[in-house]
Amino acid sequence: TKTDVEFGKYGVTPQSLQRVSLAGMSKQELIAMFINIYNALVVHGIVSRGPPSNHYVRYKFFKNVSYVIAGHNYSLNEIENGVLRANRKGMADLSKPFPVGDPRLSVALESPEPRVHFALNCASKGCPPIRFYSPDKLDNQLNKATKSFLSSGGFSVNSDTHQVSLSPILKWYKADFGKSDADMLKWVCGFVNNTDEGRVLQELIDTKQFKIVWQDYDWSLNH
């Protein structure tokens, strides 16, 4: 079917997801698998439902597009915020994805992996590109994805105005990058420190002279 073809691009099919066993998987295996599933599910949802037309429809899309994985239902929101963000509230959510006693909590990471925000693709042009992630190469792949996103427009700095321009992805999930703006910028600096802009950023952090400017986000469909 068309759905099977879309999923097949990412190494998974609806049938294989239902039968997969998550027990005994390493952290790297779980992260890689759920990133790949998430990106495949987004494609599946766009193919079957069409692209969301506004913010409300988009919110419902990520809440409702789901698949059965190892006997349990996982929506896009639950994969991102429940599993990969260690069961943290998502944008506009009033509660955590997995309630107390939910069996899916056994799959949730113990702490958020911030680099996944530069690996998950929401089908919009403002999102990172889709790549296939492998457990044995995961750390290197996530580092590359983060560096690529930041160096391709997700980050810039102006030494004259002291303005640091950032993708709103870092604003929406600010808690994953540290407890303060300075913590977040230090995190970013770790991925751009070998560049001229990275060195300027480090100076602004050291002197506490930075001003963060959030970029507009392009929600248009990434074909």
PDB file of all heavy atoms in Angstrom, residues 69-81:
ATOM      1  N   ILE A  69       2.803   0.543  18.523  1.00  0.00           N
ATOM      2  CA  ILE A  69       4.189   0.088  18.598  1.00  0.00           C
ATOM      3  C   ILE A  69       4.314  -0.836  19.795  1.00  0.00           C
ATOM      4  O   ILE A  69       4.049  -0.430  20.925  1.00  0.00           O
ATOM      5  CB  ILE A  69       5.166   1.272  18.743  1.00  0.00           C
ATOM      6  CG1 ILE A  69       4.968   2.291  17.604  1.00  0.00           C
ATOM      7  CG2 ILE A  69       6.614   0.779  18.758  1.00  0.00           C
ATOM      8  CD1 ILE A  69       5.693   3.603  17.825  1.00  0.00           C
ATOM      9  N   ALA A  70       4.677  -2.069  19.535  1.00  0.00           N
ATOM     10  CA  ALA A  70       4.845  -3.062  20.609  1.00  0.00           C
ATOM     11  C   ALA A  70       3.606  -3.158  21.502  1.00  0.00           C
ATOM     12  O   ALA A  70       3.708  -3.241  22.721  1.00  0.00           O
ATOM     13  CB  ALA A  70       6.075  -2.742  21.449  1.00  0.00           C
ATOM     14  N   GLY A  71       2.429  -3.081  20.876  1.00  0.00           N
ATOM     15  CA  GLY A  71       1.196  -3.276  21.619  1.00  0.00           C
ATOM     16  C   GLY A  71       0.604  -2.037  22.244  1.00  0.00           C
ATOM     17  O   GLY A  71      -0.466  -2.102  22.860  1.00  0.00           O
ATOM     18  N   HIS A  72       1.264  -0.890  22.113  1.00  0.00           N
ATOM     19  CA  HIS A  72       0.756   0.351  22.699  1.00  0.00           C
ATOM     20  C   HIS A  72       0.678   1.443  21.641  1.00  0.00           C
ATOM     21  O   HIS A  72       1.504   1.500  20.734  1.00  0.00           O
ATOM     22  CB  HIS A  72       1.650   0.814  23.852  1.00  0.00           C
ATOM     23  CG  HIS A  72       1.689  -0.140  24.999  1.00  0.00           C
ATOM     24  ND1 HIS A  72       0.639  -0.317  25.871  1.00  0.00           N
ATOM     25  CD2 HIS A  72       2.664  -0.985  25.424  1.00  0.00           C
ATOM     26  CE1 HIS A  72       0.951  -1.221  26.784  1.00  0.00           C
ATOM     27  NE2 HIS A  72       2.185  -1.647  26.539  1.00  0.00           N
ATOM     28  N   ASN A  73      -0.313   2.315  21.797  1.00  0.00           N
ATOM     29  CA  ASN A  73      -0.496   3.399  20.847  1.00  0.00           C
ATOM     30  C   ASN A  73       0.436   4.563  21.186  1.00  0.00           C
ATOM     31  O   ASN A  73       0.547   4.970  22.345  1.00  0.00           O
ATOM     32  CB  ASN A  73      -1.945   3.882  20.885  1.00  0.00           C
ATOM     33  CG  ASN A  73      -2.320   4.666  19.650  1.00  0.00           C
ATOM     34  OD1 ASN A  73      -2.366   4.117  18.553  1.00  0.00           O
ATOM     35  ND2 ASN A  73      -2.589   5.947  19.815  1.00  0.00           N
ATOM     36  N   TYR A  74       1.123   5.089  20.180  1.00  0.00           N
ATOM     37  CA  TYR A  74       2.007   6.243  20.349  1.00  0.00           C
ATOM     38  C   TYR A  74       1.659   7.279  19.286  1.00  0.00           C
ATOM     39  O   TYR A  74       1.769   7.019  18.088  1.00  0.00           O
ATOM     40  CB  TYR A  74       3.475   5.853  20.164  1.00  0.00           C
ATOM     41  CG  TYR A  74       4.064   5.013  21.260  1.00  0.00           C
ATOM     42  CD1 TYR A  74       3.905   3.629  21.259  1.00  0.00           C
ATOM     43  CD2 TYR A  74       4.809   5.586  22.292  1.00  0.00           C
ATOM     44  CE1 TYR A  74       4.464   2.835  22.256  1.00  0.00           C
ATOM     45  CE2 TYR A  74       5.370   4.812  23.297  1.00  0.00           C
ATOM     46  CZ  TYR A  74       5.198   3.439  23.267  1.00  0.00           C
ATOM     47  OH  TYR A  74       5.753   2.665  24.255  1.00  0.00           O
ATOM     48  N   SER A  75       1.243   8.471  19.720  1.00  0.00           N
ATOM     49  CA  SER A  75       1.025   9.570  18.781  1.00  0.00           C
ATOM     50  C   SER A  75       2.353  10.278  18.527  1.00  0.00           C
ATOM     51  O   SER A  75       3.343  10.044  19.231  1.00  0.00           O
ATOM     52  CB  SER A  75       0.017  10.570  19.351  1.00  0.00           C
ATOM     53  OG  SER A  75       0.576  11.241  20.472  1.00  0.00           O
ATOM     54  N   LEU A  76       2.364  11.164  17.558  1.00  0.00           N
ATOM     55  CA  LEU A  76       3.573  11.952  17.300  1.00  0.00           C
ATOM     56  C   LEU A  76       3.963  12.738  18.540  1.00  0.00           C
ATOM     57  O   LEU A  76       5.146  12.816  18.915  1.00  0.00           O
ATOM     58  CB  LEU A  76       3.339  12.901  16.124  1.00  0.00           C
ATOM     59  CG  LEU A  76       3.230  12.243  14.747  1.00  0.00           C
ATOM     60  CD1 LEU A  76       2.646  13.218  13.736  1.00  0.00           C
ATOM     61  CD2 LEU A  76       4.575  11.732  14.274  1.00  0.00           C
ATOM     62  N   ASN A  77       2.976  13.340  19.194  1.00  0.00           N
ATOM     63  CA  ASN A  77       3.229  14.094  20.419  1.00  0.00           C
ATOM     64  C   ASN A  77       3.817  13.208  21.512  1.00  0.00           C
ATOM     65  O   ASN A  77       4.734  13.604  22.240  1.00  0.00           O
ATOM     66  CB  ASN A  77       1.926  14.729  20.902  1.00  0.00           C
ATOM     67  CG  ASN A  77       2.106  15.503  22.192  1.00  0.00           C
ATOM     68  OD1 ASN A  77       2.830  16.482  22.253  1.00  0.00           O
ATOM     69  ND2 ASN A  77       1.449  15.037  23.248  1.00  0.00           N
ATOM     70  N   GLU A  78       3.308  11.993  21.629  1.00  0.00           N
ATOM     71  CA  GLU A  78       3.784  11.080  22.669  1.00  0.00           C
ATOM     72  C   GLU A  78       5.193  10.567  22.381  1.00  0.00           C
ATOM     73  O   GLU A  78       5.975  10.334  23.299  1.00  0.00           O
ATOM     74  CB  GLU A  78       2.798   9.928  22.838  1.00  0.00           C
ATOM     75  CG  GLU A  78       1.505  10.365  23.489  1.00  0.00           C
ATOM     76  CD  GLU A  78       0.372   9.379  23.326  1.00  0.00           C
ATOM     77  OE1 GLU A  78       0.438   8.517  22.421  1.00  0.00           O
ATOM     78  OE2 GLU A  78      -0.604   9.472  24.090  1.00  0.00           O
ATOM     79  N   ILE A  79       5.518  10.406  21.105  1.00  0.00           N
ATOM     80  CA  ILE A  79       6.878   9.996  20.755  1.00  0.00           C
ATOM     81  C   ILE A  79       7.864  11.103  21.107  1.00  0.00           C
ATOM     82  O   ILE A  79       8.889  10.869  21.746  1.00  0.00           O
ATOM     83  CB  ILE A  79       6.977   9.646  19.259  1.00  0.00           C
ATOM     84  CG1 ILE A  79       6.217   8.355  18.962  1.00  0.00           C
ATOM     85  CG2 ILE A  79       8.447   9.501  18.836  1.00  0.00           C
ATOM     86  CD1 ILE A  79       6.137   8.008  17.483  1.00  0.00           C
ATOM     87  N   GLU A  80       7.539  12.328  20.689  1.00  0.00           N
ATOM     88  CA  GLU A  80       8.459  13.439  20.916  1.00  0.00           C
ATOM     89  C   GLU A  80       8.548  13.809  22.398  1.00  0.00           C
ATOM     90  O   GLU A  80       9.638  13.822  22.983  1.00  0.00           O
ATOM     91  CB  GLU A  80       8.029  14.674  20.120  1.00  0.00           C
ATOM     92  CG  GLU A  80       8.942  15.869  20.348  1.00  0.00           C
ATOM     93  CD  GLU A  80       8.561  17.083  19.513  1.00  0.00           C
ATOM     94  OE1 GLU A  80       7.424  17.134  19.004  1.00  0.00           O
ATOM     95  OE2 GLU A  80       9.412  17.969  19.368  1.00  0.00           O
ATOM     96  N   ASN A  81       7.406  14.108  22.998  1.00  0.00           N
ATOM     97  CA  ASN A  81       7.412  14.634  24.361  1.00  0.00           C
ATOM     98  C   ASN A  81       7.384  13.551  25.432  1.00  0.00           C
ATOM     99  O   ASN A  81       7.935  13.740  26.514  1.00  0.00           O
ATOM    100  CB  ASN A  81       6.223  15.579  24.544  1.00  0.00           C
ATOM    101  CG  ASN A  81       6.289  16.775  23.621  1.00  0.00           C
ATOM    102  OD1 ASN A  81       7.257  17.518  23.634  1.00  0.00           O
ATOM    103  ND2 ASN A  81       5.272  16.952  22.788  1.00  0.00           N
TER     104      ASN A  81
END
